[in-house]
Amino acid sequence: MAFKHLFKAEAKWISSQNSESSSRFYSKSHTISLEGKPVLNVSAAKAFKGDPALYNPEDLLLSSLVSCHMMSYLYVCSQNGIEVLEYTDNAEATLEVSPDGSGRFTEVRLNPKVVISESDKIQLALELHKKANQLCFIANSCNFPVLHNASCEVI
């Protein structure tokens, strides 16, 4: 039986135009509120005339994938008796924008670097990224490939 969970978010944008502004240009900055959590100040990416100091939807999508994969990975490692000591990822996402202004992510590349406690489990630790990807809620919701270039070492 599938379990369903409902997540809610509120977006709020208010025009900051003054009489000198053209109606073609508007602020991209807005807030996203999630109950019981700090408000996120969000804008468009700098490439789309947003505030580069704020998070943008593209940042948040990539961050969601990185975070979800890491949590799924830590879960499958715990299920397989692998002690993870450190986990870092320097991920990249490729966004293609069409001439009509539409766009889509074409791929995300995760580059997880994992440190574990036992050298005889390195191969299994590397293989578990595939299982983590199969479990990741966010990766399962994407219509583009989520690729992995994982490395693993022992301290």
Side-chain angles (χ1 to χ4, degrees):
M1 178 195 320
F3 294 98
K4 292 186 180 184
H5 300 276
L6 179 64
F7 293 86
K8 296 180 180 183
E10 176 186 71
K12 188 171 186 178
W13 174 86
I14 299 173
S15 174
S16 62
Q17 287 187 335
N18 59 38
S19 59
E20 298 173 22
S21 296
S22 164
S23 62
R24 287 189 42 189
F25 299 101
Y26 56 91
S27 169
K28 309 286 194 299
S29 298
H30 58 283
T31 60
I32 301 290
S33 300
L34 303 130
E35 188 174 328
K37 297 176 180 144
V39 171
L40 287 171
N41 292 303
V42 182
S43 187
K46 181 180 179 182
F48 307 112
K49 299 180 176 48
D51 183 339
L54 300 179
Y55 295 107
N56 60 64
E58 296 81 10
D59 291 336
L60 297 172
L61 183 123
L62 179 58
S63 299
S64 295
L65 275 165
V66 170
S67 181
C68 190
H69 181 81
M70 181 195 71
M71 289 185 284
S72 298
Y73 182 76
L74 294 174
Y75 170 74
V76 296
C77 282
S78 71
Q79 298 292 54
N80 285 274
I82 295 176
E83 181 183 13
V84 178
L85 303 174
E86 293 179 29
Y87 184 106
T88 57
D89 194 340
N90 291 297
E92 298 177 334
T94 302
L95 175 72
E96 285 186 7
V97 180
S98 301
D100 68 1
S102 67
R104 64 182 295 271
F105 281 98
T106 57
E107 70 176 23
V108 165
R109 291 166 306 286
L110 302 181
N111 299 295
K113 181 178 178 182
V114 180
V115 177
I116 63 173
S117 61
E118 299 174 69
S119 60
D120 62 327
K121 294 187 177 179
I122 287 178
Q123 188 58 41
L124 177 58
L126 289 168
E127 291 169 4
L128 288 175
H129 284 284
K130 187 175 203 174
K131 179 67 175 175
N133 190 64
Q134 292 169 349
L135 295 177
C136 177
F137 305 149
I138 307 302
N140 286 327
S141 302
C142 294
N143 66 351
F144 51 83
V146 179
L147 310 172
H148 304 88
N149 181 29
S151 64
C152 184
E153 62 184 54
V154 175
I155 290 185

